Amino acid sequence: MSKKQWAGAMPAVQFRVARPTNQLAKVAAFYEQGLGLKRIGSFEGHDGYDGMMFGLPGADYHLEFTQHVSGPPLAPPSEDNLLVFYIEERQQQLLIAERLLELGYPEVEPENPYWKQKGITIADPDGYRIVLQNTSGLS
């Protein structure tokens, strides 16, 4: 095994965070209809998996959710397992939170009180938390 130091930056041109779920349709509605992320791809029946990918316009990073046909129950996530979306305008932050509430996802108390200062924390169908963090006035 080589012990050479790597002097360059990560050469990846894209990255994706993939997460399993047993509720693909509910998770898709949460991220697509509730948060307003764009569905950039999906697949069915790929070696026993179905999945969907979501992203931000023009971004080379994505979220992927997969569901195995005969997948076992999943362990619940920690309450401090967060996906944070930084939103410049407070009104937009509130509109997204309202849309999620209409879908049945109310605000929850964050584990870390920092996120309550300018953020709205909401648990997705699997219990993973997202934070809608308002950036106005942040340095």
Side-chain angles (χ1 to χ4, degrees), residues 1-135:
M1 182 178 228
S2 173
K3 294 192 180 211
K4 289 183 181 178
Q5 291 290 333
W6 184 10
M10 166 59 91
V13 295
Q14 181 183 79
F15 80 88
R16 179 176 292 162
V17 176
R19 193 188 91 199
T21 181
N22 288 330
Q23 306 181 79
L24 188 58
K26 286 183 179 180
V27 166
F30 181 91
Y31 287 89
E32 189 170 30
Q33 295 168 16
L35 280 177
L37 294 180
K38 182 180 177 189
R39 186 182 307 198
I40 58 171
S42 64
F43 56 90
E44 292 182 7
H46 184 266
D47 293 330
Y49 285 90
D50 296 337
M52 293 180 191
M53 288 75 73
F54 297 92
L56 297 171
D60 289 325
Y61 39 88
H62 313 118
L63 297 174
E64 176 179 15
F65 299 98
T66 60
Q67 179 171 297
H68 192 270
V69 175
S70 58
L74 302 171
S78 151
E79 290 183 350
D80 215 16
N81 192 320
L82 306 173
L83 183 59
V84 181
F85 293 90
Y86 291 89
I87 301 167
E88 290 181 323
E89 296 189 27
R90 173 88 169 133
Q91 189 59 34
Q92 291 296 322
Q93 176 197 37
L94 296 173
L95 286 173
I96 295 167
E98 183 178 315
R99 225 175 25 233
L100 287 166
L101 180 60
E102 289 171 1
L103 289 172
Y105 302 101
E107 181 175 2
V108 297
E109 192 68 26
E111 174 94 4
N112 181 335
Y114 169 80
W115 298 113
K116 190 144 180 98
Q117 294 173 26
K118 289 195 160 250
I120 300 170
T121 303
I122 299 169
D124 79 5
D126 291 326
Y128 284 87
R129 292 171 174 221
I130 61 106
V131 178
L132 305 171
Q133 180 74 0
N134 181 243
T135 61

